[in-house]
Amino acid sequence: MKIHIIGCSGTGKSYLAEGLAKKYSIDHYDLDDLMWDTAADTYGVRMDKEKRNKLLQEIVNKDNWVIEGVYYGWVQESFKRADRVYVLEIPKHVYKYRIIKRFIKRKLGLQNGKKETFKSLRDLLKWTDDFQNMNMKEIKQILEQYKDKVYYIKSSREVQMILNK
């Protein structure tokens, strides 16, 4: 089973990916771990593109995987090889609430995460609007060629239905 999950921040990509990885007993890969240098001392340092692309190729060459992230330009091989592609289009008020809640939990030390700042939170909230208004249109165009294996998810209820099948 090869599954790619895409959607903006706060839509539940990680939740769905972890649930499907557990359900099918396969590995889960977060594309943020390939895009960003998680070993860097500061937030927002990009990984070298050659290293990133090599890591992605190693993942997609495996027999089974769940890949999740917001990226689409450099991950098209995973769309091609996926058995299913889930596009999360959760309502704006839901994902913004989740982003803010996650930020607060991280600041309080209740959840591990990136080294975010109030500025990065503000930037992320603006970025999600731009992603939904512009990038999602481009993603849908790219995925049109794979329409037989693309599923658009519009609610948390639909996510639960997928996990409980």
Side-chain angles (χ1 to χ4, degrees):
M1 179 67 65
K2 297 177 182 178
I3 302 169
H4 189 112
I5 303 167
I6 188 167
C8 78
S9 298
T11 55
K13 296 179 305 295
S14 296
Y15 177 81
L16 179 57
E18 289 167 8
L20 290 172
K22 183 177 179 182
K23 178 178 179 175
Y24 295 116
S25 299
I26 57 178
D27 292 329
H28 159 222
Y29 301 94
D30 183 340
L31 290 172
D32 277 344
D33 294 336
L34 278 65
M35 183 65 172
W36 304 105
D37 185 349
T38 55
D41 291 334
T42 58
Y43 179 74
V45 177
R46 292 180 187 257
M47 186 175 293
D48 174 73
K49 284 183 183 180
E50 286 183 34
K51 182 177 179 183
R52 175 197 76 193
N53 294 342
K54 182 179 181 226
L55 290 169
L56 178 63
Q57 194 61 48
E58 289 172 6
I59 294 167
V60 298
N61 285 340
K62 294 181 179 190
D63 292 332
N64 300 291
W65 40 259
V66 178
I67 294 174
E68 57 102 347
V70 300
Y71 312 103
Y72 58 97
W74 54 275
V75 300
Q76 294 191 28
E77 184 67 18
S78 66
F79 294 146
K80 181 179 176 182
R81 294 204 191 180
D83 299 309
R84 293 183 199 154
V85 178
Y86 292 113
V87 182
L88 296 177
E89 294 188 299
I90 305 300
K92 181 188 286 193
H93 71 278
V94 173
Y95 66 73
K96 288 196 180 258
Y97 168 78
R98 290 175 179 171
I99 290 168
I100 293 167
K101 181 178 164 185
R102 178 177 63 202
F103 175 81
I104 292 168
K105 283 183 172 183
R106 288 176 177 172
K107 283 297 181 193
L108 294 174
L110 303 173
Q111 179 178 326
N112 291 332
K114 298 166 183 71
K115 304 167 184 102
E116 297 160 306
T117 63
F118 286 106
K119 180 187 180 315
S120 68
L121 172 63
R122 187 187 72 225
D123 292 347
L124 179 59
L125 291 169
K126 181 188 178 322
W127 179 88
T128 57
D129 287 338
D130 293 343
F131 182 91
Q132 288 300 98
N133 295 331
M134 294 181 288
N135 300 73
M136 193 54 81
K137 290 175 188 166
E138 191 173 342
I139 290 165
K140 287 178 179 181
Q141 287 177 339
I142 290 167
L143 293 176
E144 183 62 29
Q145 63 189 309
Y146 307 115
K147 61 184 168 194
D148 58 320
K149 61 182 177 181
V150 175
Y151 302 87
Y152 291 90
I153 310 303
K154 308 265 186 203
S155 70
S156 299
R157 193 173 133 259
E158 289 180 56
V159 169
Q160 287 307 314
M161 287 172 51
I162 291 165
L163 292 174
N164 294 331
K165 273 190 206 177

